[in-house]
């Protein structure tokens, strides 16, 4: 299959313009950040079985931490009062997560301003680059092992790891923000800065990257200095789109393995880890790090003069989002409208699962990691629709490409 040579590589994805080894290294560092975001979301939902675990109380001047004698092992995380009720912001979180996933899935399928018509050079070049980021079955198992090891490192070496994670977050967030705005900036400047400069270890990098670099660095620096929840959300959304357009699942088999492992990962580290390690590992990590790898939504009915927020960890968006991206690709390969296919069914399941989690947490004040709702909420609708249409075997084995009406692979490779 011929390679296209006319498309600026940085338009094809976050890593298309970098050399393979460096790109994979950056992606691994980013996945560690996803683990932290996963812990932030799961731990925040399990801080206390008495107090409302969402939202945490966040001061306008940074993330102020107050003493709190909860089951978090003395880590101390500020939470809303235990008599608080469900706030409209809890449901707004669901809407925001769904909108992000719709955009990210569309962008992963057809990047902005690229000719993705069947047989086009850009479409073939993008497909080659995207296939390099496919997660295979063994990778799903490795990811959960790496996630567990990362949690343990943070648990035992909190001070040192907090500094390291802040540095990693700043680097990856700047790169993710640049990748998010790059195609729009490229189109707005009429490709005037698309000429490439060969950088050692990185390869050819377009001039526009260096034009955007000060802007991205300024946003990250602004967050570091102010801890602004708005800048936090800008960077968090950039990270979500960054990973959902850089990594994709190759089949329903891989999606099932990843999400089921995530399901039991959450159960173990949230509910069972204290029996082994003496403290709740997930909660300590979530409450001990001042790294906002989560989306914050201000409460409509907060009490006092300080802002209060509800939140969702990035892992609770990215991991189910990988299945949603696969569902959109599968619909596209079958020529099925998105409103009547696997993507719509899986998205409805995601929204229902996240809504139920928010209601249980907001109304009954029970510790509820979101993944125990999101995994069945996304996998069951997809599998049921595939079984009812007689396409379960095809979905299970996977796709060879995402192009419109792309033929399914006969051997599932």
């Amino acid at each position: 299959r011929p390679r296209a040579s006319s498309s600026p590589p940085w338009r094809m994805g976050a890593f298309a313009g970098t050399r393979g080894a460096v790109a994979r290294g950056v992606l691994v560092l980013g996945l560690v950040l996803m683990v932290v975001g996963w812990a932030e979301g799961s731990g925040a939902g399990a801080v206390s079985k008495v107090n409302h675990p969402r939202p945490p109380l966040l001061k306008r001047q940074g993330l102020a931490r107050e003493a709190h004698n909860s089951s978090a092992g003395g880590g101390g995380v500020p939470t809303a009062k235990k008599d608080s009720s469900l706030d409209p912001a809890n449901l707004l979180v669901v809407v925001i997560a769904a909108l992000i996933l719709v955009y990210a899935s569309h962008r992963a399928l057809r990047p902005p301003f690229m000719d993705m018509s069947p047989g086009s050079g850009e479409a073939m070049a993008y497909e080659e680059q995207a296939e390099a980021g496919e997660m295979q079955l063994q990778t799903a198992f490795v990811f959960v092992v790496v996630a567990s090891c990362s949690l343990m490192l943070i648990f035992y070496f909190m001070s040192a790891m907090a500094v390291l994670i802040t540095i990693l977050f700043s680097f990856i967030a700047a790169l993710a923000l640049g990748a998010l705005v790059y195609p729009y900036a490229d189109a707005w400047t009429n490709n005037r800065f698309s000429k490439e400069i060969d950088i050692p270890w990185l390869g050819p990098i377009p001039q526009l990257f260096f034009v955007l670099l000060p802007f991205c660095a300024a946003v990250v620096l602004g967050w570091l200095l102010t801890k602004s929840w708005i800048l936090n959300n800008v960077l968090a959304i950039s990270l979500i789109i960054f990973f959902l357009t850089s990594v994709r699942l190759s089949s329903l088999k891989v999606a099932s393995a990843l999400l089921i492992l995530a399901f039991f990962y959450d159960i173990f580290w949230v509910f069972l880890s204290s029996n082994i390690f003496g403290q709740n590992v997930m909660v300590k990590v979530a409450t001990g790090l001042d790294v906002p790898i989560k989306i914050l939504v201000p409460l409509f009915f907060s009490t006092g003069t300080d802002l209060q927020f509800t939140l969702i960890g990035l892992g609770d968006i990215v991991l189910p989002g990988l299945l949603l991206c696969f569902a959109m690709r599968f619909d596209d390969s079958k020529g099925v409208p998105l409103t009547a296919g696997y993507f719509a069914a899986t998205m409805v399941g995601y929204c229902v699962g996240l809504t139920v989690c928010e209601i249980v947490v907001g109304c009954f004040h029970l510790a509820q990691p979101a993944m125990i709702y999101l995994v069945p909420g996304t996998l069951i609708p997809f599998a049921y629709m595939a079984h009812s249409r007689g396409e379960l075997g095809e979905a299970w084995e996977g796709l060879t490409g995402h192009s419109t009406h792309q033929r399914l692979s006969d051997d599932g490779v």
Side-chain angles (χ1 to χ4, degrees):
R1 191 166 57 178
R3 290 181 179 269
S5 59
S6 60
S7 178
W10 275 77
R11 290 177 59 199
M12 299 184 198
F15 295 121
T18 58
R19 302 204 189 279
V22 175
R24 287 190 292 270
V26 172
L27 186 57
V28 167
L29 293 179
L31 288 176
V32 172
L33 292 176
M34 285 296 101
V35 171
V36 179
W38 191 1
E40 289 269 11
S42 298
V47 168
S48 174
K49 295 185 179 180
V50 178
N51 287 354
H52 189 327
R54 297 181 183 182
L57 182 61
L58 303 179
K59 301 291 186 182
R60 283 188 175 89
Q61 286 75 29
L63 301 179
R65 302 196 175 278
E66 299 176 354
H68 180 267
N69 55 353
S70 69
S71 60
V77 61
T79 60
K81 295 180 179 179
K82 60 184 179 182
D83 59 351
S84 59
S85 59
L86 188 68
D87 189 275
N90 291 91
L91 303 181
L92 183 58
V93 165
V94 180
V95 176
I96 292 173
L99 291 176
I100 293 172
L101 287 172
V102 169
Y103 173 78
S105 299
H106 275 282
R107 178 158 174 164
L109 183 67
R110 291 183 177 86
F113 310 110
M114 286 184 61
D115 178 12
M116 297 302 294
S117 58
S120 71
E122 285 190 334
M124 290 190 292
Y126 176 74
E127 181 59 25
E128 289 183 357
Q129 182 265 326
E131 286 177 354
E134 282 191 352
M135 181 179 289
Q136 304 300 326
L137 184 61
Q138 62 272 21
T139 313
F141 288 91
V142 171
F143 174 76
V144 175
V145 172
V146 171
S148 298
C149 293
S150 300
L151 274 183
M152 293 304 300
L153 281 173
I154 299 170
F155 178 73
Y156 284 113
F157 305 101
M158 180 68 70
S159 299
M161 292 300 295
V163 175
L164 177 61
I165 289 172
T166 300
I167 296 173
L168 292 179
F169 173 80
S170 301
F171 173 71
I172 300 295
L175 183 61
L177 180 60
L180 174 64
V181 303
Y182 184 94
Y184 302 102
D186 195 31
W188 183 65
T189 58
N190 295 318
N191 309 115
R192 286 197 299 267
F193 300 99
S194 59
K195 184 179 179 180
E196 295 173 346
I197 302 174
D198 195 12
I199 304 297
W201 301 103
L202 294 177
I205 305 295
Q207 293 176 344
L208 184 57
F209 171 80
F210 300 100
V211 174
L212 293 174
L213 186 60
F215 163 74
C216 299
V219 174
V220 173
L221 182 62
W223 167 77
L224 286 170
L225 295 176
T226 67
K227 303 297 183 181
S228 165
W229 67 271
I230 297 176
L231 295 180
N232 170 93
N233 289 352
V234 169
L235 297 177
I237 292 171
S238 300
L239 281 167
I240 293 170
I241 297 170
F242 180 77
F243 289 108
L244 291 181
T245 55
S246 301
V247 181
R248 72 182 191 185
L249 300 178
S250 57
S251 65
L252 180 60
K253 174 170 56 179
V254 177
S256 300
L258 177 66
L259 291 177
I260 291 173
L261 286 170
F263 179 87
F264 288 105
Y265 170 99
D266 254 7
I267 290 177
F268 174 78
W269 289 111
V270 171
F271 296 115
L272 303 178
S273 62
S274 59
N275 297 327
I276 300 174
F277 301 99
Q279 294 184 63
N280 190 311
V281 175
M282 186 77 83
V283 169
K284 183 177 180 181
V285 169
T287 59
L289 290 175
D290 191 7
V291 182
I293 307 183
K294 50 190 172 287
I295 291 177
L296 302 169
V297 180
L299 288 181
F300 286 78
F301 305 116
S302 58
T303 57
T305 58
D306 296 312
L307 284 177
Q308 293 178 316
F309 294 82
T310 184
L311 64 90
I312 180 171
L314 266 60
D316 294 332
I317 300 177
V318 169
L319 295 180
L322 291 170
L323 176 59
L324 282 160
C325 289
F326 174 75
M328 184 174 286
R329 289 173 53 224
F330 198 82
D331 285 337
D332 187 66
S333 72
K334 291 291 187 180
V336 177
L338 296 181
T339 56
Y342 294 93
F343 180 81
T346 308
M347 177 59 76
V348 169
Y350 176 85
C351 292
V352 170
L354 188 56
T355 300
V356 171
C357 178
E358 291 289 340
I359 291 174
V360 171
V361 166
C363 294
F364 302 102
H365 313 294
L366 298 174
Q368 299 293 305
M371 291 301 288
I372 66 175
Y373 294 95
L374 298 179
V375 172
T378 52
L379 277 179
I380 291 176
F382 191 110
Y384 177 80
M385 178 173 284
H387 181 267
S388 63
R389 293 183 174 183
E391 298 171 347
L392 185 58
E394 291 178 318
W396 185 257
E397 291 301 327
L399 291 160
T400 58
H402 79 293
S403 302
T404 304
H405 307 309
Q406 176 80 31
R407 269 194 318 108
L408 287 175
S409 169
D410 291 330
D411 55 7
V413 177

